[in-house]
Amino acid sequence: MAIAKLNLEDIRVPADVPGEVADDYRRNLHRATRGTGRLMLFAGDQKIEHLNDDFFGPGIPEEDADPEHLFRIASQGTIGVFATQLGLVTRYGRDYPDVNYLVKINSKSHLLKTKTRDPRSWALNSIDQVLETRERSGLNIVGVGYTVYVGSAYEHEMFAEAAELAFDAREAGLFSVFWMYPRGQSVADEKDPHVIAGAAGTAVCLGADFCKVNYPQRGSEPRGELLRQAVKAAGRTGLICAGGSSASPQKFLQDLWDQINVGGAVGNATGRNIHQRTLTDAVRLCDAISAVTYAGADVDRALRIFAGDEKFSLPG
Amino acid sequence: MAIAKLNLEDIRVPADVPGEVADDYRRNLHRATRGTGRLMLFAGDQKIEHLNDDFFGPGIPEEDADPEHLFRIASQGTIGVFATQLGLVTRYGRDYPDVNYLVKINSKSHLLKTKTRDPRSWALNSIDQVLETRERSGLNIVGVGYTVYVGSAYEHEMFAEAAELAFDAREAGLFSVFWMYPRGQSVADEKDPHVIAGAAGTAVCLGADFCKVNYPQRGSEPRGELLRQAVKAAGRTGLICAGGSSASPQKFLQDLWDQINVGGAVGNATGRNIHQRTLTDAVRLCDAISAVTYAGADVDRALRIFAGDEKFSLPG
Amino acid sequence: MAIAKLNLEDIRVPADVPGEVADDYRRNLHRATRGTGRLMLFAGDQKIEHLNDDFFGPGIPEEDADPEHLFRIASQGTIGVFATQLGLVTRYGRDYPDVNYLVKINSKSHLLKTKTRDPRSWALNSIDQVLETRERSGLNIVGVGYTVYVGSAYEHEMFAEAAELAFDAREAGLFSVFWMYPRGQSVADEKDPHVIAGAAGTAVCLGADFCKVNYPQRGSEPRGELLRQAVKAAGRTGLICAGGSSASPQKFLQDLWDQINVGGAVGNATGRNIHQRTLTDAVRLCDAISAVTYAGADVDRALRIFAGDEKFSLPG
Amino acid sequence: MAIAKLNLEDIRVPADVPGEVADDYRRNLHRATRGTGRLMLFAGDQKIEHLNDDFFGPGIPEEDADPEHLFRIASQGTIGVFATQLGLVTRYGRDYPDVNYLVKINSKSHLLKTKTRDPRSWALNSIDQVLETRERSGLNIVGVGYTVYVGSAYEHEMFAEAAELAFDAREAGLFSVFWMYPRGQSVADEKDPHVIAGAAGTAVCLGADFCKVNYPQRGSEPRGELLRQAVKAAGRTGLICAGGSSASPQKFLQDLWDQINVGGAVGNATGRNIHQRTLTDAVRLCDAISAVTYAGADVDRALRIFAGDEKFSLPG
Amino acid sequence: MAIAKLNLEDIRVPADVPGEVADDYRRNLHRATRGTGRLMLFAGDQKIEHLNDDFFGPGIPEEDADPEHLFRIASQGTIGVFATQLGLVTRYGRDYPDVNYLVKINSKSHLLKTKTRDPRSWALNSIDQVLETRERSGLNIVGVGYTVYVGSAYEHEMFAEAAELAFDAREAGLFSVFWMYPRGQSVADEKDPHVIAGAAGTAVCLGADFCKVNYPQRGSEPRGELLRQAVKAAGRTGLICAGGSSASPQKFLQDLWDQINVGGAVGNATGRNIHQRTLTDAVRLCDAISAVTYAGADVDRALRIFAGDEKFSLPG
């Protein structure tokens, strides 16, 4: 299945992007989406979000314990963007200058559970700090990310920070990806497709260029189809689906294919399923995901790529 | 019933509008009110306020699930202003450049119920961001909107943001519409005409140019008459009445006529009753509403317009 | 009883008034106090504070429901200043350019009761907005007002805002009036003369030029005498007494006379007792109050003025 | 007992005082400490802190009810500095230009008790406002004061404001005095010498030039000796001891002497014990305190001065 | 065991350090790490954190009660940096100009226990104030410190302040050390090696150059080995281990050796174990720690140095 090529000049520029940075905005999107409008996001913000749970323990290879593992994967695998906190970017970025970085702006730890208090996550950095870092280092920072907990008792704080961030990002020619998670004591079911669709629609209203949602679930209904409501609600904001917790490559890649080809997602955001592997396997999984996302590969081809039986790379 | 024409030069300019933008202020009001001082507001801020409840489900046409449905209606129907969040405006506005936009500045989701916590809604955007967007895109942004929950434990935050917004808007030649909703654990009856009148009076004190209130209700008293207290309390701040949840066209248009001609409202703010229809029907309902609002049509004529038996449009 | 004339040059200028606006400060005080140092304040901030309770209902004339009623009274009656929110000033001020306006900076609604939560009221406007409005319109804005709830769990917020306001006002040559109300779950008796005196003393420390307190009450002790402690505590900050809820003209004017001549108040702040009357009666009551305040009239003369049997006006 | 003379040039200038205001800093300290490094602080911030309790009631002379009483005492008595809120300084200062003023920056009322909520006190004024006032009036404002409630649930707010204030003060050549009070529901004993010493040590870390603590108490141990731990903990930050509630002159002066000569305090901060007297007595008590503080007088001599049997004054 | 020499030009400069201050950043790190990349931090921020508990009481020498004791140790002992609050630095720094100072930016007292409320600590000073102080005094301020309570209900505030601080520090060529403590009612075990590793990983994401953690403990497992997970998680952010409460020199130095040589820490942060000794002993312990840290001494040699049987110093 061929993916339509999105020419640089065909990228729609939102009304709040200043004319003088419109080309930067287009180039950043074009670069991250590999000229397709689709997005393979390698998620590496869990060192705060999940502390060391995702990086150390039974079944996790030892090399994942070192933060540099993430950068090695991002550098050697085929990805769209590598999303992580500015602190990590500043520490390792100069040694991995070819990676497209998406700076994850807010993060919280998971020690305080939702049943104790609704989630609350504040911006760690300003767009100005992101831009200064890019200027000082020449790194390919193409966008920013932000988590919004819809339905939290603190959603007003995150809505306000997110909308400000989206505006400031576009003003600088960057794009934004919002992690849209319904969560809080008033949220009965975080996987409810209808509520997830509401969260996706919220992302558009806040000015996000992409939104990341969890893969909806309702009884035994086909999840790819359940995703469609959210994709529709997101409108011109590209929806990408979270990779979720560890799964077999077969199941993971099938889910991915469904999300895109059944559900209408424009891509995915995967963290643990990638980095909780040896560097070789992680890189191959990136390639496989990108093959599905950017090159329309089917699951069989993706599995061959993951197994190392077929090489995959994208130009440029 | 003829509607008095409001000449541009007859529009009263509030004392905080700077001389150099007085004409902008007049033009924005004139444009939105179609030269009548009345206002037909097409409300499209529910993608955050009600998540996907208003856009997807039984009885809602499939096309409503796509945010662009709102823009198609706003563009093809006869309306005064289309009120929605800046994020949506930036995403679709360039393709619908003829619409008069009113940027809804604050929004909250409905996941957290009033019985759990009093409503709290913060500004997503500043007037500067609105003006920058207008400057960068040339869109017809004529005003801003803000929801104030009177009686909420957080009313102090919203009162302060609203008053600041009203001032900043006028400083830039824009007008403001405040959604004035008595709501919170201390509010016994949100539809009480006396409390709604108090909310309307509050809007004037905060500097609103228009205020939107819910249609008051008390037992079986005629609701149009109950509205009069609020209209009086609002004084020179034009009062418009919310369309509320879905109703039959007959009932909806009769209510609208009563609100304006019995209650003294200067217009209406309608969302769901419009967009939860096919594009054709939604456009015709906009026309019917505008006929009542701007051209003094009676309910029968409005129903003919809605049925497609009579065309309606306004010059300009 | 003759009132001493306060010459412009005799007005004490506080140490934080810059030299270049000292004459403005003197002129504003002179204008509001009609050259006597006394102050008749017509209070019109209840549209937020009491919502529509004071403006509509049994015993309230229909014309009070319209905000313009307040402006008509302020314009036709003899008053010192008309205190109301900036939003109202901007809406009606240009049509009533001769009125001395005092902008009430903060306000809250009364829906949330003290037993539910301690009172919390935030500034709606900045001094800069007040000054800009004055500059843009040429209106006679001579001062600002602010309510401080002493003993509230939020007194720290109001103390800080009030002190900032007092300083900023004087910096611009304006004076300030603070409504000093002991209120909150820790306040046993809001009318206790000793606590009211403490509130009055607090006003001086916060930089107020005038403070408004409720008329103290303790058993059957003469209230005028009970007021003396507060007057003393206020020192050089002029103390004015609130008019309170509706009373017969006889009782109201006797109280007023006692407050000034027994208690030592320099004036009064009256709202409901004035505007809950027809325009004619309201204007006459303003004249009667001003006769007591500014011209030393006794109660009999004040009653004749209120009855229309004697005309009263002040020069300039 | 002779007090060592502290020459202007010997005053240690903290590292954050800019070179260009180092002489101002030295002069302000020299002036307040009468060239000794010791400090007699006349505390007059109770009009907010204790409302009218300290100024009106049985055993309090009538003249104390008038705020000007404080200024008369400060002007006629021998003192180091008179500490009070900026509002009072601006109202009376121009008539008492020779007084050394220390502006008390934060204050709260005592209506909300610790058992209801931990103490919370915010800054009323900025250093800029203090400096502007000094500039506009030429008043001798030599320093600023701030109360820190160590152990309160709000200590983080006060720690941050206090440290900011200390820095800003020194930047302007002013010195700071912090009232260091352990208080809150987590503070078992406010008079515990060990906890008071901790509070004194905190003051140094926050950048205070002087700290005021309550006189420690533990069973029947000699209180002067108990004070030593705090004096030691304060290091180069001069510790002064609060005068506390009313006491007989004999006991008060003996305590004072002990605090300085046994405990090692560099002075005292006294309010009620001074101003709850007639002007004559209050002035004499100031002289007596200053004799002990600045001239090494013993208790007998101090009592003679208080009795009017011996005159006392300091040069300049 | 020889410690590799870290040449100035080999120090990795994070991507957010501006080119024009890169050499300052390198020099500050080189200076603090004595050209090794390791860090011996003498912690002296307890005067707020623990009030006077660490400075006065049974078993604590009298000289520790005086804040200057800390400066004498820092000046005479071999250390990397002396970490304390700005207030102390400004008071004593000019007399101890050779010390490398690390300004501890936030601090709280320990009066409010975790079981009462989760820890909450705010910045006392800005980087600008630190830089101004350095500029005005010429003191060797090389970095800043900040405590982050991971898992506290207020972690969002501290995460945001810390990330801002790290960025601002590097922008000025300073480095940052974060005290990373899992603490709060949701933290089951503050010494859990896995949770501590998560805290260490969080420090990297926040932009810290070094992080300080408590020495992990789990049953009777060798603690040095338990530390490895955290060291790995910290990646390029150097991990130093807290010295903890008092211990015998033998045990303390053995722990230290294990932390570095078994666990992989790049150094230590020790407070009480140093300053709760006479000056002579404290200085010798600093030397002994530095011998282990910077010169690869074994425990026996370190004990000889502590006993005064061997001299130790580092060049420069």
Side-chain angles (χ1 to χ4, degrees), chain C residues 16 153 155 171 194 229 236, chain D residues 52-53 90 95 109 117 136:
Chain C
D16 50 347
E155 69 166 33
E171 191 162 50
H194 186 62
Q229 190 191 150
R236 293 184 179 175
Chain D
N52 223 31
D53 290 0
T90 60
D95 291 344
S109 84
R117 201 199 56 186
R136 290 166 190 170

Side-chain angles (χ1 to χ4, degrees), chain C residues 12-19 25 29 118 150-157 159-160 163-164 167-168 170-171 182-183 185-187 194-195 197-199 201-210 229-230 232-238, chain D residues 44-45 47-48 50-54 56-57 62-63 65-68 84-96 107-113 116-117 120-126 128-130 132-134 136-137 139 157:
Chain C
R12 278 196 191 96
V13 176
D16 50 347
V17 175
Y25 177 83
L29 262 180
D118 276 7
V150 183
S152 162
Y154 305 98
E155 69 166 33
H156 57 286
E157 295 173 359
F159 280 10
E164 167 83 21
F167 185 88
D168 290 350
R170 286 179 178 169
E171 191 162 50
R183 187 164 301 163
Q185 291 160 18
S186 297
V187 176
H194 186 62
V195 175
T202 296
V204 202
C205 298
L206 296 175
D209 294 292
F210 292 92
Q229 190 191 150
K232 199 80 179 175
R236 293 184 179 175
T237 291
Chain D
D45 63 338
K47 289 184 78 70
I48 294 183
H50 302 161
L51 297 182
N52 223 31
D53 290 0
D54 294 1
F56 185 91
E62 202 182 317
E63 57 201 294
D66 180 349
E68 196 158 3
T84 196
Q85 290 92 0
L86 188 63
L88 273 168
V89 173
T90 60
R91 260 291 164 214
Y92 295 91
R94 285 192 199 273
D95 291 344
Y96 301 92
S107 285
K108 56 177 268 307
S109 84
H110 63 355
L111 289 172
L112 208 67
K113 305 301 178 198
T116 301
R117 201 199 56 186
R120 186 178 207 179
S121 187
W122 282 7
L124 306 174
N125 299 104
S126 65
D128 277 352
Q129 292 176 347
V130 171
E132 291 286 355
T133 300
R134 191 180 60 173
R136 290 166 190 170
S137 64
L139 291 177
E157 296 173 358

Side-chain angles (χ1 to χ4, degrees), chain E:
Chain E
M1 179 173 163
I3 307 297
K5 187 161 160 50
L6 181 69
N7 292 317
L8 196 66
E9 60 273 21
D10 296 337
I11 292 176
R12 277 194 191 98
V13 176
D16 50 346
V17 176
E20 62 272 25
V21 302
D23 280 349
D24 294 336
Y25 177 83
R26 283 195 192 94
R27 266 190 298 264
N28 283 326
L29 261 180
H30 198 260
R31 182 175 193 125
T33 69
R34 303 297 196 129
T36 67
R38 289 198 175 165
L39 184 63
M40 186 282 190
L41 182 150
F42 172 38
D45 63 338
Q46 304 94 344
K47 289 184 78 71
I48 294 183
E49 300 288 351
H50 303 161
L51 298 181
N52 223 30
D53 290 0
D54 293 2
F55 299 95
F56 185 92
I60 301 174
E62 201 182 319
E63 58 200 293
D64 197 20
D66 181 349
E68 196 158 2
H69 185 56
L70 299 172
F71 287 81
R72 290 190 187 105
I73 297 168
S75 169
Q76 297 176 33
T78 307
I79 65 165
V81 293
F82 169 40
T84 195
Q85 290 91 359
L86 188 63
L88 273 169
V89 173
T90 60
R91 260 292 163 212
Y92 294 91
R94 285 192 199 272
D95 291 344
Y96 300 91
D98 294 330
V99 174
N100 294 332
Y101 292 101
L102 185 126
V103 177
K104 180 75 191 308
I105 294 295
N106 68 335
S107 284
K108 57 177 267 309
S109 83
H110 62 356
L111 289 172
L112 208 67
K113 304 302 179 198
T114 300
K115 69 178 192 305
T116 302
R117 201 199 54 187
D118 277 7
R120 186 177 205 180
S121 188
W122 283 8
L124 306 174
N125 298 106
S126 66
I127 284 282
D128 277 353
Q129 292 176 346
V130 171
L131 297 174
E132 290 287 354
T133 300
R134 190 180 61 173
E135 173 83 13
R136 290 166 190 171
S137 64
L139 291 177
N140 297 320
I141 300 178
V142 297
V144 289
Y146 191 93
T147 301
V148 177
Y149 295 106
V150 183
S152 161
Y154 305 98
E155 67 165 35
H156 57 286
E157 296 173 358
M158 292 172 277
F159 280 11
E161 278 201 342
E164 167 84 20
L165 182 70
F167 186 88
D168 290 350
R170 286 179 178 169
E171 192 162 49
L174 302 176
F175 65 87
S176 63
V177 181
F178 288 175
W179 281 229
M180 300 301 299
Y181 295 152
R183 188 164 300 162
Q185 291 160 18
S186 297
V187 176
D189 178 4
E190 297 184 4
K191 296 281 181 73
D192 180 330
H194 187 61
V195 175
I196 285 176
T202 296
V204 202
C205 299
L206 296 175
D209 294 293
F210 292 93
C211 66
K212 175 193 174 192
V213 298
N214 279 317
Y215 200 20
Q217 190 164 28
R218 187 169 55 200
S220 57
E221 295 181 59
R223 297 175 75 181
E225 288 173 22
L226 291 178
L227 187 59
R228 283 182 196 152
Q229 190 191 151
V231 167
K232 198 82 180 173
R236 292 184 181 174
T237 291
L239 183 142
I240 61 178
C241 213
S245 53
S246 291
S248 73
Q250 167 76 42
K251 178 173 181 341
F252 173 78
L253 290 166
Q254 183 65 55
D255 278 355
L256 172 69
W257 194 91
D258 290 350
Q259 289 160 6
I260 294 177
N261 297 288
V262 177
V266 301
N268 68 97
T270 310
R272 283 169 284 179
N273 269 298
I274 294 173
H275 65 73
Q276 287 178 350
R277 301 183 193 274
T278 61
L279 179 57
T280 304
D281 281 359
V283 166
R284 283 179 182 164
L285 188 55
C286 286
D287 292 349
I289 295 171
S290 284
V292 174
T293 309
Y294 293 128
D298 59 19
V299 177
D300 284 346
R301 185 178 166 212
L303 280 167
R304 281 199 307 278
I305 292 168
F306 176 64
D309 296 335
E310 181 180 332
K311 292 278 175 209
F312 177 79
S313 71
L314 288 167

Side-chain angles (χ1 to χ4, degrees), chain A residues 44-45 47-48 50-54 56-57 62-63 65-68 84-96 107-113 116-117 120-126 128-130 132-134 136-137 139 157, chain E residues 12-19 25 29 118 150-157 159-160 163-164 167-168 170-171 182-183 185-187 194-195 197-199 201-210 229-230 232-238:
Chain A
D45 63 338
K47 288 184 79 71
I48 294 183
H50 302 162
L51 298 182
N52 223 31
D53 290 0
D54 293 2
F56 184 91
E62 203 182 316
E63 57 201 293
D66 180 350
E68 196 159 2
T84 195
Q85 290 92 1
L86 188 63
L88 272 169
V89 173
T90 61
R91 260 290 165 215
Y92 295 91
R94 285 191 199 273
D95 291 344
Y96 300 92
S107 285
K108 57 177 268 309
S109 83
H110 63 356
L111 290 172
L112 208 67
K113 305 302 177 196
T116 301
R117 201 199 55 187
R120 187 177 205 180
S121 187
W122 282 8
L124 306 175
N125 298 104
S126 66
D128 277 352
Q129 292 176 345
V130 171
E132 290 287 354
T133 301
R134 191 179 61 174
R136 290 166 189 171
S137 64
L139 291 177
E157 296 173 358
Chain E
R12 277 194 191 98
V13 176
D16 50 346
V17 176
Y25 177 83
L29 261 180
D118 277 7
V150 183
S152 161
Y154 305 98
E155 67 165 35
H156 57 286
E157 296 173 358
F159 280 11
E164 167 84 20
F167 186 88
D168 290 350
R170 286 179 178 169
E171 192 162 49
R183 188 164 300 162
Q185 291 160 18
S186 297
V187 176
H194 187 61
V195 175
T202 296
V204 202
C205 299
L206 296 175
D209 294 293
F210 292 93
Q229 190 191 151
K232 198 82 180 173
R236 292 184 181 174
T237 291

Side-chain angles (χ1 to χ4, degrees), chain A:
Chain A
M1 177 174 163
I3 306 297
K5 188 162 160 49
L6 180 70
N7 291 318
L8 196 66
E9 60 273 20
D10 295 338
I11 292 175
R12 276 196 193 96
V13 176
D16 50 347
V17 176
E20 62 272 24
V21 302
D23 280 349
D24 294 336
Y25 177 84
R26 284 195 191 95
R27 267 190 298 263
N28 283 327
L29 262 180
H30 198 261
R31 181 174 193 126
T33 69
R34 304 298 197 128
T36 67
R38 288 198 175 166
L39 184 64
M40 186 280 190
L41 183 150
F42 172 36
D45 63 338
Q46 303 94 345
K47 288 184 79 71
I48 294 183
E49 300 288 351
H50 302 162
L51 298 182
N52 223 31
D53 290 0
D54 293 2
F55 300 95
F56 184 91
I60 301 174
E62 203 182 316
E63 57 201 293
D64 197 20
D66 180 350
E68 196 159 2
H69 186 56
L70 300 172
F71 287 82
R72 290 190 188 106
I73 298 167
S75 170
Q76 298 176 31
T78 307
I79 64 166
V81 292
F82 170 40
T84 195
Q85 290 92 1
L86 188 63
L88 272 169
V89 173
T90 61
R91 260 290 165 215
Y92 295 91
R94 285 191 199 273
D95 291 344
Y96 300 92
D98 294 330
V99 174
N100 294 333
Y101 293 102
L102 185 126
V103 178
K104 180 76 191 307
I105 294 294
N106 69 335
S107 285
K108 57 177 268 309
S109 83
H110 63 356
L111 290 172
L112 208 67
K113 305 302 177 196
T114 300
K115 69 178 192 303
T116 301
R117 201 199 55 187
D118 277 8
R120 187 177 205 180
S121 187
W122 282 8
L124 306 175
N125 298 104
S126 66
I127 283 282
D128 277 352
Q129 292 176 345
V130 171
L131 297 175
E132 290 287 354
T133 301
R134 191 179 61 174
E135 173 83 13
R136 290 166 189 171
S137 64
L139 291 177
N140 296 320
I141 301 177
V142 297
V144 289
Y146 191 94
T147 301
V148 177
Y149 295 106
V150 182
S152 162
Y154 306 98
E155 67 165 36
H156 57 286
E157 296 173 358
M158 291 171 277
F159 280 11
E161 278 201 343
E164 167 82 22
L165 182 70
F167 186 88
D168 290 350
R170 287 179 177 169
E171 192 163 48
L174 302 175
F175 64 87
S176 64
V177 180
F178 288 175
W179 280 229
M180 300 301 299
Y181 295 151
R183 187 165 300 163
Q185 291 161 19
S186 298
V187 176
D189 177 5
E190 298 183 3
K191 297 282 181 73
D192 180 328
H194 187 61
V195 175
I196 286 175
T202 296
V204 202
C205 299
L206 296 175
D209 294 294
F210 292 92
C211 68
K212 175 193 175 193
V213 299
N214 279 318
Y215 200 21
Q217 190 163 29
R218 187 168 55 201
S220 58
E221 293 182 59
R223 298 175 74 181
E225 288 172 24
L226 291 178
L227 187 59
R228 283 183 196 152
Q229 190 191 149
V231 168
K232 198 82 180 174
R236 292 184 180 175
T237 291
L239 183 143
I240 61 178
C241 213
S245 53
S246 292
S248 73
Q250 166 76 42
K251 177 172 183 341
F252 173 79
L253 290 166
Q254 182 65 55
D255 277 355
L256 171 69
W257 193 92
D258 291 351
Q259 288 160 8
I260 294 176
N261 296 288
V262 177
V266 302
N268 69 97
T270 309
R272 282 169 286 179
N273 269 299
I274 294 173
H275 66 72
Q276 287 178 349
R277 301 182 192 274
T278 61
L279 180 57
T280 304
D281 281 359
V283 166
R284 282 178 182 165
L285 189 55
C286 286
D287 291 349
I289 296 171
S290 284
V292 175
T293 309
Y294 293 128
D298 59 19
V299 176
D300 284 347
R301 186 178 165 210
L303 279 167
R304 283 199 307 277
I305 293 170
F306 176 64
D309 296 335
E310 182 179 332
K311 292 277 175 210
F312 177 79
S313 71
L314 288 168

